Amino acid sequence: MTVRGGFRNSCLRVIMPAALWLLCAACTGSETPSTKREVSTASPAYGDTLVEGTIGEASTLIPILASDSASHSVAGLIYNGLIKYDKNLKIVGDLAESYLVSPDGLTITFKLRHNVVWHDGKPFTSRDVLYTYRVIIDPKTPTAYSEDFKQVAAVTAPDEHTVVVRYARPYAPSLASWGVAILPSHLLEGQDITKSPLARKPVGTGPFRFAEWVAGQKIVLEANKDYFEGRPYLDRYVFRLIPDTSTMYMELKAGGIDQMGLTPVQFARQTDSPRFKSAFNKYRYPSNGYLYLGYNLRHPTFKDTRVRRAITAAINKQELIQGVLFGMGQKANGPMIPGRWAHNPNVKDIAYDPAYARQLLAEAGWKNGPDGFLQKEGKPLSFTILTNQGNQQRLMTAQIIQQRLKQVGIDVRIRVVEWAAFLKEFIDKGNFEVVLLAWLTSQDPDMYDIWHSSKTKPGELNFIGYNNPEVDRLLEEGRSTFDIEKRKKAYYRIQDILAEEQPYTFLYVPDALPVVSSRIRGIEPAPAGIGHNLIRWYVPRMEQRY
């Protein structure tokens, strides 16, 4: 599963289907954080507000209509799925108090909790699950996440607290896919979901209720006192929009926000003073996402594999890791995060080799022009890298790439666009040449929504227009078996093909670098990151600020 955006140092639960890949404006994921555990003798207390800085504003708070991390970060506190990942990345029940998978893996029976109510006081029942399933597979619903649920043969509800899901054939991400946010049928049934007021004023079952959305400024959530796992200690959770990480950092030091994702330079050079260390706790751990250059494969220049391979060969990934990340990251050579079971450690990544890059470009017919840049048939080898506003790390990456490509005769411009417009006017419409973006990935390696040739419609995730019949077949094989070795074989081969064809130049996997005010207690680092127990975060009574 993937979500789009930048890299945000995510410490919140993001509810999304198993194959969702989120485009992030500033997002990172979660592995075991390397930092000391907090030690506190203060007693937990109710009250206070946590203010988080975010560079990207949510697009909609109906999760199935959003594919960006900013929206899912907020929605993840408002909604629940039937299941979720616990702190050790094991699947456990959420709205489902239990579940049973049949021996053949084709039937899942969910037993729903009895004590769950929507934020408007109406009871949660199996009717809500049935509605959510039906609206996701409805062709009129503009969602990027229908594919998981098109694999379902039937969903039935024998009673108000039982849901039975049947599959006609094995589907590996089946259980994890039911982490999708369940929607309130009593507020949406019979309506056009794209016109629902819930996009701006959501009603969920989660630990926080929606309170206020001031466009371009903030989204305010309040504690759900009726939450089935117990009300959060914090009274409010505020997402404050600050579209620049330098400004955000100044707000952090001034007390205007309590939490943000630090840039590598901030983490390494600006936060080491005794005063800062007493006021804040820093965390560092490998992220769940990777940064990439994505080529519009409909564009004549990028239809030639040699051009894409040449661009990759002209980029020094290690230079990016040292110069941009201060060493806090690792090279990406494909869409699988290193260390996961589906990652192919033997994939043949293209090494930094400017001479090889020039050779490939010459083979593709590009010759030296009078201005020092390559040209073919009188047209220069020139394009624009499009990326999102507010992410200094990404801008620095683009600038270094610009200089490296200039050395092999490629004229590169950089355009920075505000996040909402970036998605709506450029990505979703395919109106770009090259994008610099990041995917936040899920635990299951299914990549169907990003790479399958059927997922290229406006608003879907294969927005570069990639089409490879063998990859299509392997994606279908990988998700249609429960045999780990068969899945691994399919995903290893996909990574080999992508390394050869370079539809993306996979750049790096950055470390997540969240920082949280030291007055916030109860944080428990774990393989799932630091946000898995957010409802247990608290501020001691004597330290409460709001």
Side-chain angles (χ1 to χ4, degrees), residues 1-3 7 16-22 28-32 85 89 285-290 330 333-346 439-447 484-485 487-488 491-492 495 509-510 527-529:
M1 163 194 253
T2 311
V3 185
F7 274 93
M16 51 193 179
L20 177 62
W21 297 58
L22 293 179
T28 53
S30 51
E31 298 294 339
T32 305
Y85 287 101
L89 298 174
Y285 44 94
S287 79
N288 272 347
Y290 61 85
Q330 55 190 315
N333 56 15
M336 297 296 180
I337 304 299
R340 294 189 180 175
W341 65 263
H343 175 256
N344 182 354
N346 299 316
W439 284 120
L440 174 62
T441 72
S442 74
Q443 295 302 309
D444 190 275
D446 181 35
M447 304 175 284
I484 290 293
E485 290 307 313
R487 297 193 78 196
K488 183 182 291 187
Y491 294 129
Y492 272 31
Q495 290 166 80
V509 178

Side-chain angles (χ1 to χ4, degrees), residues 189-204:
E189 216 158 25
Q191 299 184 24
D192 182 347
I193 193 171
T194 65
K195 298 178 181 178
S196 171
L198 268 64
R200 303 288 296 189
K201 296 182 178 180
V203 175

Side-chain angles (χ1 to χ4, degrees), residues 34-88:
S34 57
T35 187
K36 64 180 182 180
R37 290 176 178 268
E38 70 169 65
V39 178
S40 174
T41 57
S43 299
Y46 293 103
D48 213 9
T49 298
L50 188 152
V51 182
E52 178 181 355
T54 177
I55 67 172
E57 184 166 30
S59 58
T60 174
L61 294 181
I62 298 177
I64 66 168
L65 303 184
S67 56
D68 60 290
S69 61
S71 298
H72 282 274
S73 292
V74 180
L77 299 182
I78 296 172
Y79 296 93
N80 298 88
L82 295 185
I83 59 88
K84 64 181 179 181
Y85 287 101
D86 70 6
K87 67 179 183 179
N88 294 312

Side-chain angles (χ1 to χ4, degrees), residues 120-138:
D120 62 1
K122 301 294 184 181
F124 160 74
T125 69
S126 57
R127 176 184 171 187
D128 301 305
V129 181
L130 293 179
Y131 167 76
T132 301
Y133 164 69
R134 289 169 184 154
V135 76
I136 289 180
I137 65 170
D138 188 333

Side-chain angles (χ1 to χ4, degrees), residues 397-406 410 412-414:
T397 298
Q399 291 169 338
I400 293 173
I401 290 173
Q402 180 185 46
Q403 292 304 310
R404 286 297 179 189
L405 295 185
K406 182 179 180 180
I410 302 175
V412 174
R413 297 174 298 277
I414 300 169

Side-chain angles (χ1 to χ4, degrees), residues 467-478:
N467 186 339
N468 181 305
E470 184 181 2
V471 170
D472 283 355
R473 177 180 60 79
L474 291 165
L475 288 167
E476 292 158 12
E477 287 180 6

Side-chain angles (χ1 to χ4, degrees), residues 142-158:
T143 178
Y145 313 130
S146 61
E147 197 58 41
D148 279 336
F149 302 95
K150 289 178 181 177
Q151 311 308 312
V152 174
V155 179
T156 57

Side-chain angles (χ1 to χ4, degrees), residues 335-488:
M336 297 296 180
I337 304 299
R340 294 189 180 175
W341 65 263
H343 175 256
N344 182 354
N346 299 316
V347 68
K348 295 180 180 178
D349 195 19
I350 297 174
Y352 172 56
D353 189 343
Y356 178 56
R358 294 188 191 97
Q359 175 188 327
L360 287 171
L361 293 169
E363 291 174 3
W366 294 95
K367 300 177 180 179
N368 290 325
D371 58 357
F373 291 109
L374 297 173
Q375 62 178 26
K376 182 165 64 172
E377 298 174 354
K379 295 182 180 179
L381 182 48
S382 175
F383 59 83
T384 298
I385 295 176
L386 186 72
T387 194
N388 62 287
Q389 178 187 1
N391 193 316
Q392 186 65 26
Q393 180 177 315
R394 193 158 302 169
L395 178 58
M396 291 172 60
T397 298
Q399 291 169 338
I400 293 173
I401 290 173
Q402 180 185 46
Q403 292 304 310
R404 286 297 179 189
L405 295 185
K406 182 179 180 180
Q407 292 173 3
V408 297
I410 302 175
D411 180 25
V412 174
R413 297 174 298 277
I414 300 169
R415 184 175 181 185
V416 178
V417 180
E418 183 272 328
W419 179 241
F422 178 78
L423 296 180
K424 184 177 180 181
E425 301 299 328
F426 297 93
I427 299 301
D428 292 342
K429 294 181 178 179
N431 183 23
F432 63 90
E433 294 172 303
V434 179
V435 293
L436 182 61
L437 257 180
W439 284 120
L440 174 62
T441 72
S442 74
Q443 295 302 309
D444 190 275
D446 181 35
M447 304 175 284
Y448 188 97
D449 285 332
I450 296 221
W451 298 109
H452 199 277
S453 62
S454 67
K455 308 304 289 183
T456 58
K457 300 181 185 70
E460 293 188 320
L461 304 186
N462 184 0
F463 51 81
I464 65 169
Y466 182 68
N467 186 339
N468 181 305
E470 184 181 2
V471 170
D472 283 355
R473 177 180 60 79
L474 291 165
L475 288 167
E476 292 158 12
E477 287 180 6
R479 61 178 11 202
S480 62
T481 177
F482 298 116
D483 187 316
I484 290 293
E485 290 307 313
K486 289 181 179 179
R487 297 193 78 196
K488 183 182 291 187

